[in-house]
Amino acid sequence: MDNPLLDFSGLPRFDQIRPGHIGPAIDALLAQAEAAVKHAETVSPVTWDGFVTPLEDATERLWRAWGQVQHLQAVVNTPELREAYNANLPKVTRFGAALGQNLALYSQYKALAASPEYAGYDPVRRKVVENALRDFRLGGAELDEAAKQRFAAIQEELAALSAKFAQNVLDATDAFALYVEDESRLAGLPAEVVAAARAAAEKDGKPGWKLTLQMPCYLPVQTYAEDRGLREALYRAHGLRASEAGPAEWDNSGNIDRIVALRGELAALLGFSSYAEYSLATKMAQSPDEVLAFLRDLAARALPYARRDRAELEAFARDELGLDELQPWDIAWASEKLKQARYSYSEQEVKQYFTEPKVLGGLFAVIESLYGVKVKPDSAPVWHEDVRFYRVEDAHGRLLGQFYLDPYAREGKRGGAWMDDCRNRRMRADGVQTPLVYLVCNFGKGVDGKPATLGFNEVTTLFHEMGHGLHQLLTAIGELPVAGINGVEWDAVELPSQFMENFCWEWERVQAMTAHVDTGAPLPRELFDRMLAAKNFQAGMFTVRQLEFGLFDMELHSRFDPAQDSVLQLLERIRDEVAVNRAPAWHRFPHQFSHIFAGGYAAGYYSYKWAEVLSADAYAAFEEAPGQLAETGARFLREILSRGGSRSALENFKAFRGREPSIDALLRHNGMAA
């Protein structure tokens, strides 16, 4: 059988991959990778070309094929695909765990580091070897046999639990539907949301309108629906997803407890006092205490602003909206009303100008002006008809990399937005392997033949994910383990993405990427000025919300004792400390917190704020030299983006800025400067 997962000759054949291909492909690639490992264990003398390259060749093919399966599982989930994914996950996890703790390979890398050849390596190859030695230690290579087996068993169980956690959230989200037959209950909702709800009901053969927990429906209901009961119904359903309040098979309660316990045990096996300590071994931050102090320092600066935001909102809701008590499902709605009253600024009004083709054109123009590259449409086999494909070329027309864009929400697709790599840059004997990345969002689709319109926060999301993509696409490094995002400290990974968001606030850029959905007119200057005035609206509230998540994550993975405490109690104590908008006691936020229970952010959620310090400070370099965009952009590309993980993030930053990072720009950008 011709198996598309075994074809690495060109672009992935996403249109041909079926669940039946997964098992045979993974088995074949595992066998090849295991044979390569066996050979690498004894190869002598240990050289780069005789040891590192063949090992990377075989493992890269396996990870690339599995990456395609993981990707499909996230964007076109079906029962058949999930079954095949879950059946193969343990095998792949076992291989990864065995690789990480292979003592013979560890010894070979040590021999390479001690060899005469090593002395002649450039800094990039040296970094690869240093990281490999560190990762073997963190992977349990120095453990005794019994501990190794336990370590591998923990990793396997954690992989299955994380997958189950994410699948439960997806299933609980997709299962909810509220059919509304009385149109008056939809008052306040944007016309395109009503039209999409009508189409969704028709598709189900039902009268009226279908409301769901997908973001293009859920957020507008929370923000615009005049019907308080409707807002409450969706808020409640959203807050109880994947908890004991729903079907037992989707309840994440046990998964959370088990994940936390296993992570603690894994860290203890390696001699760390907590999982947070283990997690920080590969990050910029040095210790859990340093992270907690950073978050609490930021909380002390932000809380006065957050409390003021809350007091203003309560007063407005009472005096103008007749709400004696502000409930959680009122907050987004009342905030939108206050914003409109204060700034004559409506998200919905602004959204009509950000039509998807214009936004994409504006985004690509920013990339071109910053880095001197061209983004062009391209063609490739795709997994869904909505997916687009693009190529990035340098000034001489040479291909640098390609990317997929999957913009719209749909059933069977994980919520949120993310970038992932499909193939990384690598120098091969036959030339350069160019990077290939996925950019995934969950925007609402255009209706009635009109283009999709993006809320301003969706515009910044697109710029954010593209920033991650550029980190991968514009790398100049040819060694896989440190090319693009590989090898970059996790708490610095958000620097290029958050940095890109700043360009959404420059008038010339905004003007160029707006065209009203009906008239084609660009965004008027006076409306942009109102947007600017509203930029830091409730920035205090937003900041402390992020700090709540970051503190919860770090405390959970550093100081939490399940014998004395519960996860929900811990969250309530964190809320006592920093929250100004309290979720109700029945709300089950942890049960949906996929970032830390199913993504890579365990003991790492603080990274968003940590990297925000770096990104605000990096953008300040452009503010300080307004007439030198291309020169500053070229320096950012040279010192940060192109370097990947070949140098520490702090070295990269200092090479760009000429100094250590400062928090001043972040506070200024958020309107919280003293």
Side-chain angles (χ1 to χ4, degrees):
M1 155 173 104
D2 173 36
N3 193 322
L5 281 167
L6 294 172
D7 178 4
F8 301 99
S9 60
L11 295 167
R13 289 153 50 189
F14 281 117
D15 55 336
Q16 296 171 29
I17 300 171
R18 300 291 176 265
H21 292 128
I22 295 171
I26 296 302
D27 286 345
L29 292 165
L30 273 169
Q32 291 171 23
E34 281 162 354
V37 168
K38 208 163 183 59
H39 175 72
E41 287 173 348
T42 57
V43 69
S44 182
V46 186
T47 63
W48 190 275
D49 292 338
F51 167 69
V52 178
T53 302
L55 189 58
E56 277 183 2
D57 283 343
T59 51
E60 184 200 16
R61 285 195 293 275
L62 170 65
W63 298 128
R64 268 173 59 186
W66 183 242
Q68 290 171 36
V69 175
Q70 283 182 303
H71 173 70
L72 290 172
Q73 208 255 156
V75 290
V76 282
N77 200 306
T78 62
E80 298 77 21
L81 179 65
R82 183 181 294 190
E83 192 179 340
Y85 172 82
N86 288 343
N88 286 279
L89 178 63
K91 296 186 280 194
V92 176
T93 310
R94 269 196 296 275
F95 171 78
L99 190 67
Q101 52 183 226
N102 185 313
L103 203 53
L105 287 184
Y106 184 31
S107 300
Q108 291 284 67
Y109 269 103
K110 283 190 213 170
L112 186 63
S115 69
E117 183 183 290
Y118 184 78
Y121 284 174
D122 62 7
V124 176
R125 284 195 170 178
R126 284 178 174 246
K127 188 81 165 84
V128 170
V129 176
E130 283 166 22
N131 285 2
L133 292 171
R134 175 199 71 194
D135 292 344
F136 275 113
R137 288 193 293 276
L138 294 175
E142 293 174 335
L143 297 175
D144 63 41
E145 204 46 50
K148 268 187 184 172
Q149 284 184 8
R150 181 61 194 141
F151 191 92
I154 291 173
Q155 282 189 305
E156 191 176 324
E157 191 178 345
L158 278 172
L161 286 164
S162 290
K164 180 71 174 123
F165 186 100
Q167 289 161 7
N168 287 350
V169 176
L170 177 70
D171 289 344
T173 305
D174 282 352
F176 176 86
L178 177 65
Y179 294 95
V180 173
E181 292 190 30
D182 176 359
E183 192 172 2
S184 68
R185 294 196 71 191
L186 305 178
L189 286 180
E192 70 265 24
V193 176
V194 175
R198 180 85 195 92
E202 278 174 4
K203 192 177 165 200
D204 290 355
K206 296 281 185 71
W209 296 263
K210 179 185 182 182
L211 301 178
T212 71
L213 299 179
Q214 306 285 354
M215 282 299 132
C217 177
Y218 177 73
L219 280 179
V221 168
Q222 291 304 305
T223 312
Y224 302 110
E226 296 292 337
D227 187 320
R228 198 179 191 190
L230 199 61
R231 299 198 303 270
E232 181 182 357
L234 262 68
Y235 178 90
R236 191 173 287 275
H238 191 265
L240 290 172
R241 287 174 303 155
S243 73
E244 73 280 9
E249 67 266 27
W250 299 339
D251 182 4
N252 272 333
S253 306
N255 295 333
I256 292 172
D257 293 342
R258 187 70 182 146
I259 288 170
V260 172
L262 285 171
R263 284 174 177 168
E265 188 185 345
L266 181 121
L269 279 170
L270 294 174
F272 290 99
S273 63
S274 67
Y275 185 79
E277 207 175 87
Y278 162 75
S279 167
L280 293 179
T282 53
K283 295 182 170 72
M284 281 177 80
Q286 296 298 299
S287 69
D289 284 348
E290 183 187 2
V291 171
L292 289 165
F294 163 74
L295 293 172
R296 288 193 163 106
D297 172 54
L298 198 47
R301 297 167 187 261
L303 265 168
Y305 295 94
R307 287 181 183 126
R308 186 189 69 192
D309 291 344
R310 172 76 193 195
E312 288 173 352
L313 189 62
E314 282 179 354
F316 177 80
R318 186 182 60 246
D319 299 344
E320 302 297 328
L321 304 173
L323 294 179
D324 288 337
E325 193 176 356
L326 198 60
Q327 295 291 352
W329 46 88
D330 299 325
I331 288 173
W333 177 77
S335 295
E336 179 62 21
K337 296 278 191 198
L338 173 58
K339 187 191 277 183
Q340 289 183 27
R342 186 176 289 175
Y343 305 103
S344 311
Y345 165 72
S346 144
E347 293 283 354
Q348 196 50 34
E349 182 188 4
V350 167
K351 187 178 182 192
Q352 304 309 307
Y353 288 94
F354 285 98
T355 39
E356 187 193 338
K358 282 296 279 189
V359 172
L360 281 173
L363 169 62
F364 300 161
V366 170
I367 296 167
E368 289 171 14
S369 62
L370 281 172
Y371 308 122
V373 299
K374 284 268 186 279
V375 181
K376 296 178 175 176
D378 204 350
S379 58
V382 293
W383 52 91
H384 191 275
E385 61 189 5
D386 291 337
V387 178
R388 314 348 154 25
F389 189 64
Y390 298 91
R391 61 194 287 119
V392 182
E393 295 175 356
D394 69 10
H396 307 289
R398 286 187 295 251
L399 177 68
L400 296 173
Q402 291 155 297
F403 64 95
Y404 303 91
L405 174 64
D406 185 350
Y408 308 127
R410 55 179 177 266
E411 280 192 19
K413 179 178 175 183
R414 197 176 90 210
W418 66 93
M419 182 287 301
D420 205 356
D421 68 308
C422 178
R423 181 181 75 204
N424 219 323
R425 190 174 190 274
R426 189 181 180 197
M427 291 302 292
R428 296 160 41 123
D430 57 355
V432 178
Q433 170 179 293
T434 52
L436 183 61
V437 307
Y438 313 111
L439 299 180
V440 184
C441 299
N442 271 285
F443 305 143
K445 258 181 116 163
V447 287
D448 302 332
K450 292 180 179 176
T453 55
L454 307 189
F456 190 68
N457 61 336
E458 293 178 318
V459 175
T460 57
T461 295
L462 181 64
F463 272 65
H464 179 105
E465 298 309 334
M466 190 76 232
H468 282 308
L470 292 170
H471 204 176
Q472 206 74 346
L473 292 162
L474 301 184
T475 187
I477 303 299
E479 302 295 350
L480 265 184
V482 290
I485 286 180
N486 289 0
V488 175
E489 298 96 315
W490 193 267
D491 38 11
V493 160
E494 296 296 334
L495 159 60
S497 52
Q498 291 172 338
F499 163 79
M500 279 297 287
E501 294 180 33
N502 291 290
F503 294 95
C504 302
W505 289 101
E506 294 183 359
W507 165 239
E508 287 75 17
R509 305 285 184 193
V510 168
Q511 210 179 7
M513 64 179 174
T514 51
H516 193 280
V517 66
D518 294 324
T519 66
L523 186 86
R525 176 72 208 223
E526 58 90 21
L527 185 50
F528 176 72
D529 287 341
R530 296 203 307 264
M531 281 172 67
L532 267 183
K535 180 182 181 203
N536 290 320
F537 176 67
Q538 297 183 340
M541 274 184 359
F542 178 76
T543 300
V544 296
R545 183 169 174 266
Q546 290 298 103
L547 295 173
E548 178 186 317
F549 301 161
L551 282 164
F552 168 70
D553 166 47
M554 190 49 68
E555 288 277 2
L556 182 70
H557 288 107
S558 63
R559 297 175 179 178
F560 178 72
D561 177 4
Q564 307 291 322
D565 207 355
S566 81
V567 170
L568 291 169
Q569 282 168 334
L570 169 67
L571 182 56
E572 288 303 325
R573 286 201 305 281
I574 299 292
R575 285 174 174 161
D576 288 342
E577 192 180 340
V578 295
V580 295
N581 294 328
R582 292 289 287 253
W586 52 258
H587 196 283
R588 291 293 180 262
F589 168 73
H591 295 64
Q592 306 136 29
F593 199 2
S594 296
H595 275 82
I596 70 168
F597 294 119
Y601 282 88
Y605 197 85
Y606 76 91
S607 305
Y608 282 105
K609 281 295 166 202
W610 185 277
E612 217 177 312
V613 171
L614 304 176
S615 63
D617 200 357
Y619 179 70
F622 289 80
E623 293 177 305
E624 290 158 16
Q628 296 170 20
L629 182 75
E631 296 87 337
T632 314
R635 196 165 80 249
F636 188 78
L637 173 63
R638 184 174 68 247
E639 301 298 359
I640 292 181
L641 289 183
S642 71
R643 295 274 179 173
S646 67
R647 223 174 31 186
S648 81
L650 188 59
E651 285 176 274
N652 286 351
F653 185 89
K654 287 196 306 198
F656 172 64
R657 262 327 234 142
R659 56 166 174 75
E660 296 267 341
S662 155
I663 198 169
D664 296 350
L666 172 66
L667 295 172
R668 177 166 56 78
H669 287 169
N670 283 292
M672 293 190 294

